[in-house]
Amino acid sequence: MNNENDGIYLIGDFNSRIGTLSETLHDIDNLPKRQPIDKSINQHGHELLDFLNEAKFCVLNGRFPNDNFTSISKKGKAVVDYICVPQDIYEYLNYFKVLTIQSIINDSMLLDLIGDKSKLPDHSVIMCEFNVTHHGLSYRIKDQTNCQPRFKLDRIPLDFMASDIRRSALFESTTANFTANCKHKSVIMQCLNSMHIVSMIKLPSH
C-alpha cells in the first residue's frame, strides 16, 4: 500500500477473529510475535490477514502487555477490534492498550453516576501512542506554488443528494474505484454495510 500521506492507520471493529494467524513473515519481518488471547478464527479473519499481508501492515493487538478482549458481552469474549499500522512504523510505537468499559468505570469511579437500567457498551476502548519524528505536511505547505486548490465545501447546496441522477453518478463513480481490486470484496461490503449504503452499490463479482 503506497500513499503520499505520512501514515495510514486502520482502527475499528473488523468483525474478524484472527486467532494465532500471522500477518508477518517471522524469518523476514523484524517484529515481535503476537501472543493472542483470543484463539478463535473466522472467515473474516482470514480475509483481513490476506489484506494485511499484501499491504505490509501489522496488528498491534497481542504484541503489548496491556492486552485484553475487545468485545465482552453475555455471548462471550472476543477480539474483533484492532489497530493495524504499517510494519515500518512499528518501531515508533510507545504503547498499545485495551481498556474495558468496566475498568474505565471502576478507575474513574463512575459507578454512582450510572443507573441500574443503563446498558454498558460491549466493546472496549483501544488506544496507542507513537512518536512522530517528522511530517511531510510542513514541507508541502511551504511551497504554495504547488498547493492543490481547496474546494469550498460550504458552498455545496444542502439538497445536493436530493437528485436521483446525482446520487446514481456518485455511486457509480464509487463503484468504479472499487473495481480496481475486488479480491477483498467481502471486507469492502462490511465497510459499506456499516455506512448503510451497501444496498445502493452493486460491487462486481469475481
Side-chain angles (χ1 to χ4, degrees):
M1 179 177 290
N2 298 315
N3 197 286
E4 294 181 356
N5 294 323
D6 299 314
I8 299 176
Y9 311 91
L10 306 179
I11 306 172
D13 179 4
F14 292 84
N15 286 327
S16 302
R17 303 181 74 174
I18 61 177
T20 57
L21 295 176
S22 178
E23 80 287 23
T24 62
L25 300 175
H26 298 305
D27 296 335
I28 300 175
D29 299 324
N30 187 24
L31 293 174
K33 186 177 179 180
R34 289 178 55 247
Q35 302 294 334
I37 58 176
D38 184 358
K39 310 297 184 182
S40 299
I41 302 171
N42 62 10
Q43 183 59 35
H44 294 319
H46 285 285
E47 293 167 352
L48 175 61
L49 261 293
D50 287 343
F51 169 78
L52 296 178
N53 276 316
E54 291 186 8
K56 296 294 288 183
F57 269 56
C58 65
V59 174
L60 300 188
N61 306 59
R63 288 193 164 95
F64 290 82
N66 295 311
D67 201 12
N68 208 327
F69 293 97
T70 65
S71 176
I72 302 175
S73 66
K74 294 180 180 179
K75 297 180 180 179
K77 300 178 180 180
V79 175
V80 293
D81 306 83
Y82 303 95
I83 296 182
C84 309
V85 303
Q87 293 184 17
D88 56 2
I89 71 164
Y90 180 86
E91 60 182 307
Y92 300 113
L93 286 157
N94 293 330
Y95 68 78
F96 167 84
K97 292 181 180 179
V98 177
L99 303 177
T100 64
I101 299 301
Q102 190 62 54
S103 68
I104 294 175
I105 292 174
N106 294 340
D107 295 343
S108 302
M109 296 182 289
L110 300 175
L111 191 59
D112 294 338
L113 301 178
I114 301 175
D116 296 335
K117 297 182 179 180
S118 298
K119 183 178 180 180
L120 299 180
D122 55 7
H123 283 263
S124 304
V125 175
I126 53 177
M127 57 189 296
C128 70
E129 179 184 281
F130 56 92
N131 293 319
V132 177
T133 57
H134 71 281
H135 59 85
L137 181 61
S138 61
Y139 302 102
R140 290 196 294 269
I141 63 176
K142 288 179 181 179
D143 186 3
Q144 296 294 335
T145 59
N146 294 326
C147 288
Q148 296 294 326
R150 296 175 64 88
F151 295 99
K152 300 182 182 299
L153 300 181
D154 58 335
R155 295 187 180 181
I156 298 178
L158 296 177
D159 60 347
F160 170 72
M161 293 298 292
S163 167
D164 291 337
I165 297 178
R166 290 173 181 170
R167 284 200 301 269
S168 177
L170 176 61
F171 293 137
E172 287 178 4
S173 175
T174 305
T175 304
N177 291 332
F178 287 145
T179 59
N181 184 359
C182 294
K183 180 177 180 180
H184 306 291
K185 176 180 175 182
S186 60
V187 176
I188 295 172
M189 294 294 285
Q190 288 184 60
C191 297
L192 295 178
N193 268 315
S194 66
M195 294 185 286
H196 306 291
I197 63 174
V198 68
S199 61
M200 307 185 74
I201 299 180
K202 292 184 179 180
L203 292 176
S205 58
H206 292 291

